[in-house]
Amino acid sequence: MEQMSATRTSPGVPSPSADKTFFGQPKMLLNLFSVELWERFSFYGMQGILAYYMYYTATQGGLGIDETVAVGLVGAYGGGVYLSTILGAWLADRLLGPERVLFYSAIVIMAGHISLALLPGAGGLTAGLIMVAIGSGGLKANATSLVGSLYGEKDDRRDAGFSIFYMGINIGGLIGPLLTGLLQTTLGFHYGFGAAAVGMAIGLTQYGLTRRNLPKEAHLVANPVPRSRYRLMIGVGAAAAVVVILAVLTGLVTAENLKWVVVGIVVVATIAYFVVILSSRKVDAQERSRVYSFIPLFIASAAFWSLFQQQFTVVALYADKRLDRNLLGWEMPASWASSINPVFIIVFAGIFAALWTKLGSRQWTTPVKFAAALVVMGLAYLSFIPVAGVASVPLLALVWILLLFTIAELLLSPVGLSLATKLAPTAFHTQMVALFFLSVALGTALSGVFAGYYHEDNETPYFAVIGLTAIVLGIVLALAAKPIRKLMAGVH
């Protein structure tokens, strides 16, 4: 039975020797590669100028929000994006199926960017960010799940396929901030947000024309809710909306404490998710062991993202205030620093994909990859220290630091997406992907919390503490790799 299961593929999925038309991968990877590219174009294009829109003064086209509050809001918003993957995953597994949720989510994202582009002031910001957060959460969890559906459980192409998919994400992440940043500095913030809306419209159109070609399981509802419970679901949803509105109106949730609120919600949601999955009668003993193995990897992933996502908080401030952005007499937009990491991803993603493919079953196990990512991330933060106190930091210094960010990211992020699909119980396939994104939500929200402790006057202790902590966590995870691997029950 063990040998037979190793050669089987998921229902409707071609064998590894067939259907190699996109870099040796299933041809429908191109479809998902493209829609994620345009979604990330709009998402990172908007996020690249978001902090500046918040804390720049009105004369600079911004809203004049306090700087510390602004970076905290960016972290909270980013955490909210990944938190909303819970909703997207639940809708896919219980009501609509992943393909339809992805399509509707793309529409919501486009509407959010249009709101940011056309509606002025805090009202436009609030409406736009809520819609982009909800839509992006629904799209991300389901795009990842759909990529996983293209491969059999033992298909060695899986990690390479996710690395290629991840390269598409970063092509969008490269172009988005370049265009929106240029438009922001020449025409204004709302033109930058408008470009993000156009990018999402292109992605939506492309996906709408090709969505019918996805595998049959992309349209299936894995664990449908009985119709008798529809009224209960509607009531719960309405009650949740009322609670949120009242919390805001009564001042319980404010711009200042929103980052902590998001952290708290993510922690509670994570614990609840693990309890629900582990206690489900639809999860067998082997699947339960695999879910247990995911717990330490979840913690490591959250720690990683709390550092990596500071690209949009601390590093954004650093690029605006500390970086020498003069290029041959022309000042580069600060948001263009957001495109340095995607450049390296595009260069190295293919190399990492080829490396994992060549090594096959001999490649590092996932816990070791996660541990290495934390160590490299720690070294990246320690690399800030030599230029601490320098009046105008050379661009090449930040380029080196973001190269280390990239290496760490490629060791963890595409591998983590792949891992979530491999460890997922059958009845919780998309929701297991949502659990991975909850680790990103927690880390992203914490990046806003940590940013509140950063200041130009305390750079050395800030970067030293964070860098050394990451390295220690990486070493601890490496030492625990063997027992974690045992719990993974055959998943590499």
Side-chain angles (χ1 to χ4, degrees):
M1 288 294 292
E2 186 67 21
Q3 290 180 343
M4 288 177 63
S5 65
T7 59
R8 288 166 57 189
T9 58
S10 298
V13 177
S15 66
S17 61
D19 197 28
K20 295 183 178 180
T21 60
F22 181 61
F23 291 97
Q25 303 292 327
K27 61 184 179 181
M28 283 310 298
L29 181 62
L30 175 61
N31 171 280
L32 298 170
F33 172 97
S34 299
V35 71
E36 187 75 356
L37 184 156
W38 285 109
E39 190 273 331
R40 293 292 90 179
F41 168 92
S42 64
F43 179 84
Y44 284 117
M46 179 270 288
Q47 192 155 339
I49 60 176
L50 181 59
Y52 307 135
Y53 179 56
M54 289 185 186
Y55 75 73
Y56 276 17
T57 63
T59 56
Q60 296 172 297
L63 300 179
I65 298 173
D66 177 78
E67 193 174 282
T68 300
V69 174
V71 293
L73 286 172
V74 172
Y77 157 72
V81 168
Y82 294 100
L83 178 61
S84 67
T85 58
I86 296 177
L87 176 62
W90 187 88
L91 288 171
D93 279 353
R94 306 302 305 273
L95 283 180
L96 300 173
E99 189 282 320
R100 281 189 290 176
V101 174
L102 188 150
F103 181 69
Y104 298 144
S105 295
I107 295 174
V108 174
I109 293 169
M110 185 176 67
H113 288 302
I114 291 173
S115 296
L116 284 166
L118 299 181
L119 301 179
L125 178 71
T126 302
L129 291 187
I130 289 173
M131 284 190 282
V132 174
I134 293 173
S136 294
L139 189 146
K140 284 195 69 62
N142 288 288
T144 305
S145 177
L146 291 175
V147 171
S149 74
L150 302 178
Y151 301 93
E153 182 179 350
K154 300 294 183 179
D155 192 337
D156 284 338
R157 300 178 300 165
R158 182 184 289 258
D159 278 5
F162 272 95
S163 291
I164 292 171
F165 176 69
Y166 209 68
M167 183 167 62
I169 291 174
N170 285 279
I171 292 173
L174 163 65
I175 301 172
L178 293 179
L179 183 57
T180 57
L182 185 62
L183 289 171
Q184 175 253 312
T185 55
T186 55
L187 298 175
F189 282 101
H190 293 287
Y191 287 90
F193 295 137
V198 171
M200 193 62 246
I202 295 172
L204 178 62
T205 302
Q206 173 269 323
Y207 179 73
L209 293 174
T210 57
R211 55 192 289 220
R212 69 182 68 180
N213 298 323
L214 285 165
K216 290 182 179 179
E217 57 267 29
H219 306 275
L220 298 179
V221 180
N223 185 21
V225 174
R227 289 188 176 273
S228 59
R229 298 183 62 184
Y230 279 16
R231 289 186 179 179
L232 174 62
M233 290 187 305
I234 294 172
V236 170
V242 170
V243 168
V244 171
I245 293 170
L246 288 176
V248 173
L249 292 178
T250 59
L252 185 63
V253 175
T254 64
E256 290 76 13
N257 70 9
L258 182 60
K259 56 191 176 185
W260 286 110
V261 172
V262 174
V263 168
I265 292 173
V266 174
V267 169
V268 171
T270 298
I271 294 171
Y273 245 85
F274 273 115
V275 169
V276 168
I277 294 175
L278 289 169
S279 62
S280 174
R281 294 180 180 178
K282 297 180 180 180
V283 177
D284 62 32
Q286 184 183 70
E287 290 177 328
R288 188 168 288 109
S289 177
R290 290 174 174 175
V291 175
Y292 276 120
S293 76
F294 191 61
I295 294 175
L297 298 174
F298 177 96
I299 295 170
S301 177
F304 168 82
W305 290 108
S306 71
L307 276 63
F308 182 85
Q309 293 291 71
Q310 289 189 50
Q311 283 192 83
F312 304 106
T313 55
V314 170
V315 177
L317 289 173
Y318 198 87
D320 187 35
K321 298 177 179 295
R322 302 275 284 106
L323 192 64
D324 180 4
R325 294 183 278 112
N326 189 287
L327 300 176
L328 302 176
W330 175 73
E331 187 174 65
M332 178 186 85
S335 63
W336 281 25
S338 301
S339 291
I340 296 174
N341 166 250
V343 169
F344 285 133
I345 289 288
I346 293 165
V347 172
F348 289 104
I351 296 173
F352 273 72
L355 177 63
W356 303 142
T357 301
K358 182 176 179 62
L359 291 174
S361 60
R362 295 179 290 112
Q363 64 188 272
W364 287 350
T365 62
T366 299
V368 174
K369 291 176 183 177
F370 274 44
L374 284 171
V375 171
V376 174
M377 205 72 211
L379 294 174
Y381 273 80
L382 294 181
S383 297
F384 278 105
I385 295 176
V387 291
V390 175
S392 186
V393 177
L395 180 60
L396 283 178
L398 185 60
V399 169
W400 163 253
I401 291 166
L402 292 178
L403 171 61
L404 293 176
F405 271 53
T406 302
I407 294 171
E409 182 183 9
L410 285 171
L411 285 167
L412 186 143
S413 189
V415 176
L417 294 175
S418 175
L419 176 73
T421 64
K422 288 188 285 188
L423 295 179
T426 302
F428 294 91
H429 190 268
T430 307
Q431 293 177 77
M432 192 71 172
V433 174
L435 255 180
F436 174 77
F437 282 123
L438 274 180
S439 73
V440 187
L442 180 56
T444 304
L446 285 172
S447 75
V449 172
F450 294 155
Y453 298 103
Y454 167 78
H455 192 272
E456 294 177 37
D457 297 333
N458 72 341
E459 283 186 351
T460 297
Y462 182 85
F463 292 130
V465 169
I466 287 182
L468 291 173
T469 301
I471 291 172
V472 170
L473 287 174
I475 293 172
V476 171
L477 183 61
L479 294 174
K482 195 170 183 179
I484 293 172
R485 174 83 188 280
K486 186 177 180 180
L487 286 171
M488 290 169 70
V491 172
H492 189 71

